[in-house]
Amino acid sequence: MLSLNGLGKGEKLKLIEIFYIQKYLSKSHILVKMSRESWKSRWGFIMAATGSAIGLGNVWRFPYITYDSGGGAFFIPFLFALFTAGIPILIIELGIGGKTKRSPPLAFQKFFSKKKVGWVGWWAIIGAIFLASYYSVIIGWSISYIGLSPSLGWGKNPQSFFMNDFLGWTGNPLNLGGMNFGILAVLALTWVITGFIIIKGVTKGIEKCVKFVMPICWVLIMILIIRAVTLPGATDGLNWYLSPDFSKLSEGRVWINAYGQVFFSLSVGMGTMITYGSYMKGKGEIVNNSFIIAFADALFAFLSGLAVFGTLGFMASSIGVEITEVVQQGMELAFVTYPKAISMMPLGSGITGILFFSILLIAGLTSLISLVETASGSIMEAFNLSRKKATVIICLIDFGMGIIFATKGGFGWVNIIDLYVNYAGLIFIVLIEVILIGWIYNTKRLRIWVNYTSELTVGSWWDWSVKIFCPLFLIAGLAATIIDIIQSGYPKNNPYPNLAMIIGLTAFVVGMLIAYQLLQIQKVNTTMEKFED
Ligand code: PHE
């Protein structure tokens, strides 16, 4: 046993340095490094990251929240949340990924040089697996609706078609009512497509796919907007969407909505941006890229609002009712209201349906891919598995979990799980991240490094956001959500508040425990790994 006693300080340091050089230049280390893939081009990375960010949340959630939270006035809290929290956290996640070149659990360990911190990464992975399990179901529905579009297969009454004929909804999540094989089939198809793309790898699979489909998605939304605003009555809808009601800005709920929407939409808190950031070549322009991704995501959400509200305005004026009577959110907006509006169109209704559901499909699939890559990339690295094996494992777990959503009681389960994963889980993880970076790690050190990677730099406002703004708003948001859940069952008209709470809390605790377990059994430890620069 080597004793360092009796050596001078300089000599000790020298010895330690030699020890590390030897350790990290060992053969196995180089092998791991060489086998790690990276994006071929910056454009490919941006398409992948915007593909993850732009998702179902942009298409149906943003327009509704804007309308419900003060119309045009909502852009104030939204942009505020984007600058004070969304972009700073995106910089953190891309920064951690870019600096460590590791997937989330190992990235946290390496970044903070502490094994325990990897637990946060594993928890994020569990969140990603949960989100993917029902996100994939909704993508499956979109595939079915593309098929239904040409003949307007939802008929005259899309409400009853969606609930009864399509889902076979039993009206109660506890009554599973048997399997809905049609939905199971499209779910399986979604998983086969996703698995196939991810098995091909980061460049040959994901990058190739997003470089092809994301530009198409932008073109489709532009066409859809043109179609929508040229319909009679569209301007009424746009007025509702955009005319500002500044009085709403005094409601705390509106600000919390803005933060929730920004986090979900930017795909932070689930490890995805750490993963995608870790595949960047070299330094990776972290600040610049974060701004580009955030603006593209916000723009797409805004554009979706134009398409959705233009169409709703047309529909309201055709039936002769106020737009407030036709506005719906989330799944109902996409699968009930929108199809109904399409059926009323004088021209090209089938095509419009195909356009709309193709946008949902592309936006959703590219987000799903990012979630699955995050999970499979992590177990691949932490357990030394092949890409194929890791991907198949995650796809099977997620497909297995998704079976419950494909039953006739599944609609209720989608609603329950959505709520908890989305808000409680995601917000919690982001909160831990900002506390770790803001209060335990030296914020300024990370800022200096991300600035070094990028032409565009952030000033000390970023430190303040990470230290003060983000934790405060996150804690306020969490507190408000918890109070809401306890007082009234959340969301407001959730018919099964207690059930939702029990399931949600169970998922929450079980997720934490599994994450802890994964930390114990992971094979690779990156605590002492060296950074490249
Ligand atoms: N950003 C996606 C959306 O808006 C959802 C998502 C969240 C995807 C987290 C990946 C990770 O729909």
Side-chain angles (χ1 to χ4, degrees):
M1 180 69 191
L2 179 68
S3 163
L4 296 184
N5 290 344
L7 293 180
K9 198 173 169 207
E11 285 166 320
K12 275 187 196 164
L13 284 178
K14 194 80 206 155
L15 262 181
I16 293 173
E17 198 183 314
I18 292 172
F19 170 73
Y20 281 126
I21 290 177
Q22 283 196 342
K23 180 162 177 175
Y24 293 117
L25 290 184
S26 72
K27 217 167 151 198
S28 63
H29 180 71
I30 292 174
L31 274 182
V32 171
K33 275 265 158 64
M34 274 168 38
S35 63
R36 202 160 204 284
E37 292 182 79
S38 55
W39 307 112
K40 232 189 192 151
S41 65
R42 180 171 179 205
W43 175 249
F45 162 69
I46 289 181
M47 285 300 102
T50 50
S52 172
I54 295 170
L56 305 176
N58 302 55
V59 183
W60 70 38
R61 215 169 149 257
F62 178 84
Y64 175 79
I65 291 188
T66 305
Y67 157 86
D68 187 45
S69 312
F74 182 67
F75 295 130
I76 295 173
F78 183 81
L79 289 175
F80 190 78
L82 197 68
F83 281 101
T84 58
I87 294 175
I89 292 169
L90 198 53
I91 292 175
I92 291 181
E93 293 208 348
L94 291 180
I96 292 181
K99 183 144 175 87
T100 58
K101 302 274 189 281
R102 285 297 199 172
S103 48
L106 300 183
F108 274 106
Q109 267 168 12
K110 180 169 169 177
F111 193 82
F112 294 98
S113 306
K114 259 209 168 57
K115 181 166 184 218
K116 273 193 204 143
V117 189
W119 172 73
V120 186
W122 282 119
W123 199 15
I125 303 302
I126 306 285
I129 292 177
F130 264 99
L131 180 54
S133 72
Y134 69 86
Y135 212 84
S136 53
V137 177
I138 303 172
I139 296 171
W141 296 348
S142 310
I143 297 178
S144 301
Y145 268 66
I146 294 178
L148 290 166
S149 291
S151 62
L152 305 178
W154 43 77
K156 289 262 170 299
N157 188 346
Q159 168 87 25
S160 123
F161 173 81
F162 179 61
M163 292 296 180
N164 304 328
D165 304 324
F166 185 70
L167 297 176
W169 169 225
T170 56
N172 180 350
L174 289 182
N175 176 5
L176 293 183
M179 190 58 68
N180 184 328
F181 287 101
I183 291 182
L184 193 66
V186 281
L187 181 62
L189 178 65
T190 306
W191 280 111
V192 170
I193 300 173
T194 309
F196 184 73
I197 293 171
I198 293 180
I199 284 178
K200 289 221 137 192
V202 176
T203 22
K204 292 206 185 105
I206 303 177
E207 189 172 359
K208 224 179 187 172
C209 160
V210 291
K211 271 188 352 203
F212 179 65
V213 296
M214 284 313 289
I216 296 181
C217 199
W218 284 93
V219 173
L220 295 186
I221 193 82
M222 296 312 290
I223 302 177
L224 202 65
I225 292 173
I226 296 171
R227 178 72 199 117
V229 299
T230 49
L231 290 164
T235 29
D236 295 342
L238 296 183
N239 275 338
W240 269 102
Y241 173 44
L242 297 173
S243 55
D245 173 2
F246 289 103
S247 68
K248 290 258 182 175
L249 298 189
S250 60
E251 290 178 27
R253 172 186 72 90
V254 167
W255 292 81
I256 288 168
N257 278 348
Y259 277 80
Q261 175 63 17
V262 162
F263 291 142
F264 183 69
S265 197
L266 288 183
S267 298
V268 294
M270 297 270 162
T272 19
M273 287 302 177
I274 298 180
T275 305
Y276 274 10
S278 76
Y279 297 139
M280 286 189 294
K281 259 200 211 122
K283 290 187 288 182
E285 302 258 1
I286 287 169
V287 180
N288 242 339
N289 284 339
S290 299
F291 274 89
I292 294 174
I293 296 162
F295 286 145
D297 180 56
L299 178 64
F300 199 95
F302 173 73
L303 293 178
S304 305
L306 295 181
V308 165
F309 275 87
T311 312
L312 293 185
F314 152 74
M315 178 169 145
S317 81
S318 316
I319 322 177
V321 296
E322 280 290 328
I323 188 153
T324 41
E325 289 181 36
V326 296
V327 178
Q328 291 272 7
Q329 75 155 321
M331 294 171 242
E332 267 98 341
L333 173 67
F335 296 100
V336 174
T337 317
Y338 209 88
K340 191 165 168 186
I342 289 172
S343 300
M344 294 175 176
M345 287 183 186
L347 204 73
S349 44
I351 299 268
T352 315
I354 295 177
L355 279 182
F356 178 73
F357 290 108
S358 299
I359 292 174
L360 274 189
L361 173 63
I362 297 176
L365 198 65
T366 47
S367 297
L368 181 66
I369 288 174
S370 74
L371 288 164
V372 178
E373 173 63 28
T374 302
S376 60
S378 296
I379 63 164
M380 180 172 104
E381 268 183 41
F383 293 97
N384 275 328
L385 300 176
S386 69
R387 169 165 282 276
K388 196 167 173 187
K389 202 163 182 186
T391 310
V392 171
I393 291 176
I394 298 294
C395 290
L396 282 180
I397 291 179
D398 261 325
F399 177 66
M401 286 166 70
I403 288 180
I404 190 158
F405 305 119
T407 62
K408 295 180 176 163
F411 182 65
W413 289 89
V414 173
N415 279 311
I416 293 174
I417 300 290
D418 179 44
L419 175 74
Y420 280 86
V421 170
N422 236 341
Y423 300 105
L426 190 141
I427 291 189
F428 226 87
I429 290 168
V430 175
L431 178 63
I432 299 177
E433 271 178 13
V434 291
I435 291 177
L436 279 175
I437 295 286
W439 294 96
I440 296 182
Y441 189 79
N442 182 341
T443 323
K444 200 169 156 202
R445 209 162 100 204
L446 181 61
R447 169 157 57 91
I448 292 172
W449 186 75
V450 293
N451 282 346
Y452 157 74
T453 69
S454 173
E455 267 172 38
L456 187 71
T457 56
V458 277
S460 53
W461 64 268
W462 181 81
D463 300 18
W464 288 104
S465 279
V466 175
K467 275 184 200 282
I468 311 285
F469 267 113
C470 296
L472 271 185
F473 266 93
L474 287 161
I475 290 171
L478 265 182
T481 311
I482 292 169
I483 292 172
D484 237 2
I485 290 175
I486 293 171
Q487 278 183 347
S488 50
Y490 186 84
K492 289 280 175 295
N493 39 17
N494 170 12
Y496 313 102
N498 292 333
L499 179 69
M501 187 151 84
I502 293 167
I503 293 168
L505 287 180
T506 313
F508 196 75
V509 174
V510 169
M512 261 162 65
L513 294 177
I514 297 178
Y516 184 74
Q517 210 48 42
L518 285 167
L519 180 70
Q520 303 306 316
I521 59 171
Q522 71 178 46
K523 289 214 177 106
V524 176
N525 189 336
T526 52
T527 321
M528 306 285 262
E529 207 171 77
K530 204 173 127 256
F531 294 99
E532 268 169 32
D533 40 78

